[in-house]
Amino acid sequence: MNAEIVILTGAGISRESGLHTFRDVDGIWATVNIEDVATPQAFARDPVRVQAFYNARRRGLVDAAVQPNAAHHALAELEREHRGGVLVVTQNIDDLHERAGSRNLLHMHGELLKAVCAACGEVTSRRGDIAVDEACAACGAVGRVRPYVVWFGEMPLFMDEIAAAIAGCSTFVSIGTSGAVYPAAGFVQMARAAGAHTVELNLEPSQVRSDFAEHVYGKATEIVPAFVERVLRGAR
Ligand code: BV8
């Protein structure tokens, strides 16, 4: 997957679409503990609570009020117009990048609108709730169907493709992420080691701000279209 520009996105890019982030004052982790809903142990201990947490987020995402915003659309335009190739690696489990038109896209933490059977690995599209005692349509196992989401302590998806893309890129851009979660927060160091120019676009400095060569702070719907405009006009 050779792309001149690799872009990492986090919850901040979807904030202006109405989806909450995680670590802002009104974020998801302000009202619920990661250990209670976003680990394999939590799922084993209390599947009712974990399924309810993701069913509520899935219902929120399929709400017609939630639409891609100008930042998602700007990245899709950059992919269409930039000849050197663009890859978006998102930590987000929403589908707003796809709906804005991004195609070269990797969901490293999974997708809220998919389910996976922990018994047989079958991945299916899912817009409705997942029931705790659901039987897998492929293998029949009961109670093993879970959100297709990477929990804490689980290996993120597409790590080999992401490492290869970062090793070959000339510009690495991070948008709307606090730099709190690894391995995603370490990608900027991999990009610097590969000689890429590194840019942080965020509402405020992230926890890995000092790893970036360039910084632009502001709301994603304002700074991302402006950044894309600069790149497409030829200036970096
Ligand atoms: C793994 C899916 C290993 C679930 C998520 C020390 C070092 C290295 C690793 C660790 C460590 N200690 C613990 C670990 C492991 C752990 C980790 O990093 N923990 C953290 C808390 C310290 N990592 C893991 O467990 C990962 N796996 O390491 O596996 C392994 C090895 C071998 C074999 C097996 C396993 C897995 C991590 C994935 C967890 N799942 N998501 C779900 O969504 O429910 S991660 C979770 O945080 C979120 O989903 C999100 O994807 C991710 C990052 O959050 P952000 O997207 O950055 O959101 P946040 O709210 O934090 O920030 C938003 C930013 O936006 C803010 O900066 C804000 O200013 C900005 N913003 C707000 N509004 C706007 C804006 N910007 C622009 N415009 C706006 N309008």
Side-chain angles (χ1 to χ4, degrees), residues 43 50-51 54-55 57-58 90-94 98 105-118 120-128 130 144-151 154-158 161:
F43 185 60
V50 173
Q51 296 289 18
Y54 286 96
N55 288 342
R57 287 175 65 190
R58 193 173 304 106
T90 188
Q91 298 175 89
N92 300 338
I93 60 177
D94 64 53
E98 297 88 320
L105 170 69
L106 296 175
H107 278 276
M108 66 178 291
H109 290 163
E111 298 176 61
L112 190 53
L113 300 186
K114 288 182 180 172
V116 61
C117 174
C120 71
E122 174 88 356
V123 177
T124 51
S125 175
R126 175 61 65 106
R127 296 184 67 81
I130 299 176
R144 305 298 304 280
V145 178
R146 56 170 274 187
Y148 183 58
V149 165
V150 176
W151 285 325
E154 296 185 321
M155 179 59 85
L157 305 169
F158 308 112
E161 293 92 332

Side-chain angles (χ1 to χ4, degrees), residues 9-13 15-16 21-24 29 34 38 53-54 57 91-93 109 149-156 175-183 201-206 218-221 223:
T9 65
I13 199 170
R15 184 66 192 87
E16 292 161 87
T21 64
F22 291 89
R23 293 170 185 82
D24 288 325
W29 302 144
I34 288 175
F53 174 67
Y54 286 96
R57 287 175 65 190
Q91 298 175 89
N92 300 338
I93 60 177
H109 290 163
V149 165
V150 176
W151 285 325
F152 287 90
E154 296 185 321
M155 179 59 85
I175 302 174
T177 180
S178 63
V181 174
Y182 288 81
L201 305 182
N202 205 47
L203 189 65
E204 60 196 9
S206 75
K219 294 170 75 172
T221 55
I223 64 176

